[in-house]
Amino acid sequence: MRTPTVVAALLLAASPATAAVMVGWSVSGLTGGTGAWGASPLAATQSATGLSPSGLTRGHGVTTPFNVSVPSGCWGGTGFDGAGSAQQAALDGEFVSFSMTVASGKAAQFDSIGAYNIRRDANGPAYGQWQYQIDSGAFTDIGFIMIWGTNYTAAGNAQAAVSLSGISALQAVGPNSTVTFRLVSWGALSSSGQWFLNQTAAGSGLDLVVNGSVNPLVGPAPGAAGMLALAGLCVRRRGAWRRCGADKACLGRGVAHGGAVGEAVDERAVFP
């Protein structure tokens, strides 16, 4: 995994891209029925080139009884035990999660989790919290605790989009890094209470999306290269690692080539 400084600099030179769907799931095609809770992991319906997403997955504390009737257009579970906080619910496995790994030569910038809909019954968990993790790091809360709402019908409870653009750690995610999003729920009145990701529009569309962009790493822009040089880091270009010092000589070789300070240089051209 690249260091944040390196990736941030390289992103300055990546091809600009407008935020679009990075990964998304549709649950509108799930027919429901007795014990028909939906697969776990549930494969992504759509994903951007340059990302390898995992499926939407239930935590170990979310159960799917075979003899319970599940409404159509829903994916979720039961077994929420009334944990009093996001921390306890996470320890109890009362969450759903998904991950995406950035391809080699790419970098990802995350903009938002799109608007979505949660359905529950009167005994289901009342509160939720989005969290993210990069590689094997700690999970970090995103925004504020959410109240899922009290509409127990098929209309469910509309949830606003969740902004990710202000989270610096999600603006320069480098190649081969994995980002995991986790939605923790708690505050159930009974372990038999149900909770679902609900369809937002019957019959079509994505019901859960992450928006952002995946850009190719094409090498550092001039300003970025200078930042790398000041940071004492090497720049890779076409397989050659070099950093130019203030004397415009490649470090370790002491041969001037006339480039700018911090410029990325193909050593094969300068040092045949």
Side-chain angles (χ1 to χ4, degrees), residues 9-27:
L10 291 175
L11 275 174
L12 295 176
S15 302
T18 303
V21 173
M22 301 177 80
V23 63
W25 286 265
S26 173
V27 300

PDB file of all heavy atoms in Angstrom, residues 9-27:
ATOM      1  N   ALA A   9      -0.173  12.901  -3.841  1.00  0.00           N
ATOM      2  CA  ALA A   9       0.568  13.585  -4.888  1.00  0.00           C
ATOM      3  C   ALA A   9       0.262  13.003  -6.250  1.00  0.00           C
ATOM      4  O   ALA A   9       0.057  13.724  -7.221  1.00  0.00           O
ATOM      5  CB  ALA A   9       2.064  13.490  -4.591  1.00  0.00           C
ATOM      6  N   LEU A  10       0.229  11.694  -6.345  1.00  0.00           N
ATOM      7  CA  LEU A  10      -0.049  11.051  -7.618  1.00  0.00           C
ATOM      8  C   LEU A  10      -1.456  11.348  -8.100  1.00  0.00           C
ATOM      9  O   LEU A  10      -1.694  11.465  -9.288  1.00  0.00           O
ATOM     10  CB  LEU A  10       0.165   9.547  -7.502  1.00  0.00           C
ATOM     11  CG  LEU A  10       1.621   9.101  -7.322  1.00  0.00           C
ATOM     12  CD1 LEU A  10       1.663   7.593  -7.087  1.00  0.00           C
ATOM     13  CD2 LEU A  10       2.474   9.464  -8.512  1.00  0.00           C
ATOM     14  N   LEU A  11      -2.392  11.485  -7.175  1.00  0.00           N
ATOM     15  CA  LEU A  11      -3.774  11.778  -7.567  1.00  0.00           C
ATOM     16  C   LEU A  11      -3.885  13.121  -8.266  1.00  0.00           C
ATOM     17  O   LEU A  11      -4.776  13.336  -9.080  1.00  0.00           O
ATOM     18  CB  LEU A  11      -4.685  11.754  -6.337  1.00  0.00           C
ATOM     19  CG  LEU A  11      -5.210  10.383  -5.937  1.00  0.00           C
ATOM     20  CD1 LEU A  11      -5.958  10.490  -4.624  1.00  0.00           C
ATOM     21  CD2 LEU A  11      -6.096   9.793  -7.004  1.00  0.00           C
ATOM     22  N   LEU A  12      -2.987  14.053  -7.947  1.00  0.00           N
ATOM     23  CA  LEU A  12      -3.032  15.353  -8.597  1.00  0.00           C
ATOM     24  C   LEU A  12      -2.826  15.226 -10.093  1.00  0.00           C
ATOM     25  O   LEU A  12      -3.251  16.070 -10.868  1.00  0.00           O
ATOM     26  CB  LEU A  12      -1.954  16.268  -7.992  1.00  0.00           C
ATOM     27  CG  LEU A  12      -2.154  16.627  -6.525  1.00  0.00           C
ATOM     28  CD1 LEU A  12      -0.974  17.451  -6.044  1.00  0.00           C
ATOM     29  CD2 LEU A  12      -3.452  17.377  -6.320  1.00  0.00           C
ATOM     30  N   ALA A  13      -2.170  14.147 -10.489  1.00  0.00           N
ATOM     31  CA  ALA A  13      -1.910  13.959 -11.899  1.00  0.00           C
ATOM     32  C   ALA A  13      -2.844  12.942 -12.533  1.00  0.00           C
ATOM     33  O   ALA A  13      -2.769  12.680 -13.710  1.00  0.00           O
ATOM     34  CB  ALA A  13      -0.468  13.503 -12.096  1.00  0.00           C
ATOM     35  N   ALA A  14      -3.700  12.323 -11.735  1.00  0.00           N
ATOM     36  CA  ALA A  14      -4.622  11.342 -12.278  1.00  0.00           C
ATOM     37  C   ALA A  14      -5.668  12.030 -13.135  1.00  0.00           C
ATOM     38  O   ALA A  14      -6.002  13.185 -12.933  1.00  0.00           O
ATOM     39  CB  ALA A  14      -5.299  10.572 -11.144  1.00  0.00           C
ATOM     40  N   SER A  15      -6.205  11.305 -14.095  1.00  0.00           N
ATOM     41  CA  SER A  15      -7.218  11.881 -14.962  1.00  0.00           C
ATOM     42  C   SER A  15      -8.423  12.296 -14.143  1.00  0.00           C
ATOM     43  O   SER A  15      -8.947  11.504 -13.371  1.00  0.00           O
ATOM     44  CB  SER A  15      -7.650  10.844 -16.013  1.00  0.00           C
ATOM     45  OG  SER A  15      -6.537  10.422 -16.769  1.00  0.00           O
ATOM     46  N   PRO A  16      -8.891  13.560 -14.263  1.00  0.00           N
ATOM     47  CA  PRO A  16     -10.031  14.001 -13.468  1.00  0.00           C
ATOM     48  C   PRO A  16     -11.276  13.222 -13.834  1.00  0.00           C
ATOM     49  O   PRO A  16     -11.470  12.821 -14.978  1.00  0.00           O
ATOM     50  CB  PRO A  16     -10.166  15.487 -13.846  1.00  0.00           C
ATOM     51  CG  PRO A  16      -9.516  15.587 -15.191  1.00  0.00           C
ATOM     52  CD  PRO A  16      -8.401  14.594 -15.187  1.00  0.00           C
ATOM     53  N   ALA A  17     -12.137  12.977 -12.845  1.00  0.00           N
ATOM     54  CA  ALA A  17     -13.364  12.220 -13.089  1.00  0.00           C
ATOM     55  C   ALA A  17     -14.476  12.759 -12.213  1.00  0.00           C
ATOM     56  O   ALA A  17     -14.253  13.172 -11.083  1.00  0.00           O
ATOM     57  CB  ALA A  17     -13.152  10.732 -12.812  1.00  0.00           C
ATOM     58  N   THR A  18     -15.692  12.780 -12.767  1.00  0.00           N
ATOM     59  CA  THR A  18     -16.859  13.194 -12.007  1.00  0.00           C
ATOM     60  C   THR A  18     -17.333  12.026 -11.154  1.00  0.00           C
ATOM     61  O   THR A  18     -17.248  10.877 -11.560  1.00  0.00           O
ATOM     62  CB  THR A  18     -17.974  13.624 -12.971  1.00  0.00           C
ATOM     63  OG1 THR A  18     -17.475  14.665 -13.814  1.00  0.00           O
ATOM     64  CG2 THR A  18     -19.192  14.109 -12.215  1.00  0.00           C
ATOM     65  N   ALA A  19     -17.843  12.354  -9.950  1.00  0.00           N
ATOM     66  CA  ALA A  19     -18.335  11.301  -9.067  1.00  0.00           C
ATOM     67  C   ALA A  19     -19.433  10.510  -9.769  1.00  0.00           C
ATOM     68  O   ALA A  19     -20.346  11.063 -10.374  1.00  0.00           O
ATOM     69  CB  ALA A  19     -18.869  11.909  -7.771  1.00  0.00           C
ATOM     70  N   ALA A  20     -19.313   9.187  -9.721  1.00  0.00           N
ATOM     71  CA  ALA A  20     -20.275   8.279 -10.331  1.00  0.00           C
ATOM     72  C   ALA A  20     -20.421   7.076  -9.417  1.00  0.00           C
ATOM     73  O   ALA A  20     -19.783   7.010  -8.363  1.00  0.00           O
ATOM     74  CB  ALA A  20     -19.797   7.864 -11.724  1.00  0.00           C
ATOM     75  N   VAL A  21     -21.243   6.117  -9.806  1.00  0.00           N
ATOM     76  CA  VAL A  21     -21.446   4.930  -8.985  1.00  0.00           C
ATOM     77  C   VAL A  21     -20.163   4.091  -8.994  1.00  0.00           C
ATOM     78  O   VAL A  21     -19.708   3.644 -10.046  1.00  0.00           O
ATOM     79  CB  VAL A  21     -22.626   4.092  -9.498  1.00  0.00           C
ATOM     80  CG1 VAL A  21     -22.719   2.779  -8.730  1.00  0.00           C
ATOM     81  CG2 VAL A  21     -23.931   4.874  -9.356  1.00  0.00           C
ATOM     82  N   MET A  22     -19.597   3.892  -7.811  1.00  0.00           N
ATOM     83  CA  MET A  22     -18.433   3.021  -7.670  1.00  0.00           C
ATOM     84  C   MET A  22     -18.875   1.576  -7.474  1.00  0.00           C
ATOM     85  O   MET A  22     -18.295   0.652  -8.044  1.00  0.00           O
ATOM     86  CB  MET A  22     -17.578   3.470  -6.488  1.00  0.00           C
ATOM     87  CG  MET A  22     -17.070   4.891  -6.594  1.00  0.00           C
ATOM     88  SD  MET A  22     -16.148   5.406  -5.131  1.00  0.00           S
ATOM     89  CE  MET A  22     -14.550   4.641  -5.449  1.00  0.00           C
ATOM     90  N   VAL A  23     -19.892   1.398  -6.646  1.00  0.00           N
ATOM     91  CA  VAL A  23     -20.460   0.067  -6.419  1.00  0.00           C
ATOM     92  C   VAL A  23     -21.909   0.254  -5.989  1.00  0.00           C
ATOM     93  O   VAL A  23     -22.254   1.247  -5.339  1.00  0.00           O
ATOM     94  CB  VAL A  23     -19.645  -0.702  -5.353  1.00  0.00           C
ATOM     95  CG1 VAL A  23     -19.702  -0.010  -4.006  1.00  0.00           C
ATOM     96  CG2 VAL A  23     -20.100  -2.153  -5.235  1.00  0.00           C
ATOM     97  N   GLY A  24     -22.771  -0.674  -6.380  1.00  0.00           N
ATOM     98  CA  GLY A  24     -24.175  -0.549  -6.022  1.00  0.00           C
ATOM     99  C   GLY A  24     -24.882  -1.892  -5.995  1.00  0.00           C
ATOM    100  O   GLY A  24     -24.472  -2.847  -6.661  1.00  0.00           O
ATOM    101  N   TRP A  25     -25.942  -1.942  -5.203  1.00  0.00           N
ATOM    102  CA  TRP A  25     -26.753  -3.158  -5.060  1.00  0.00           C
ATOM    103  C   TRP A  25     -28.218  -2.833  -5.301  1.00  0.00           C
ATOM    104  O   TRP A  25     -28.702  -1.773  -4.889  1.00  0.00           O
ATOM    105  CB  TRP A  25     -26.631  -3.737  -3.648  1.00  0.00           C
ATOM    106  CG  TRP A  25     -25.336  -4.411  -3.359  1.00  0.00           C
ATOM    107  CD1 TRP A  25     -25.047  -5.744  -3.461  1.00  0.00           C
ATOM    108  CD2 TRP A  25     -24.134  -3.779  -2.902  1.00  0.00           C
ATOM    109  NE1 TRP A  25     -23.744  -5.977  -3.105  1.00  0.00           N
ATOM    110  CE2 TRP A  25     -23.162  -4.804  -2.752  1.00  0.00           C
ATOM    111  CE3 TRP A  25     -23.783  -2.455  -2.603  1.00  0.00           C
ATOM    112  CZ2 TRP A  25     -21.864  -4.533  -2.329  1.00  0.00           C
ATOM    113  CZ3 TRP A  25     -22.488  -2.189  -2.191  1.00  0.00           C
ATOM    114  CH2 TRP A  25     -21.543  -3.227  -2.062  1.00  0.00           C
ATOM    115  N   SER A  26     -28.913  -3.766  -5.930  1.00  0.00           N
ATOM    116  CA  SER A  26     -30.361  -3.692  -6.062  1.00  0.00           C
ATOM    117  C   SER A  26     -30.976  -4.854  -5.290  1.00  0.00           C
ATOM    118  O   SER A  26     -30.518  -5.996  -5.406  1.00  0.00           O
ATOM    119  CB  SER A  26     -30.766  -3.784  -7.536  1.00  0.00           C
ATOM    120  OG  SER A  26     -32.173  -3.879  -7.661  1.00  0.00           O
ATOM    121  N   VAL A  27     -31.992  -4.551  -4.484  1.00  0.00           N
ATOM    122  CA  VAL A  27     -32.708  -5.604  -3.756  1.00  0.00           C
ATOM    123  C   VAL A  27     -34.144  -5.733  -4.242  1.00  0.00           C
ATOM    124  O   VAL A  27     -34.904  -6.561  -3.727  1.00  0.00           O
ATOM    125  CB  VAL A  27     -32.690  -5.347  -2.229  1.00  0.00           C
ATOM    126  CG1 VAL A  27     -31.257  -5.320  -1.716  1.00  0.00           C
ATOM    127  CG2 VAL A  27     -33.430  -4.054  -1.868  1.00  0.00           C
TER     128      VAL A  27
END
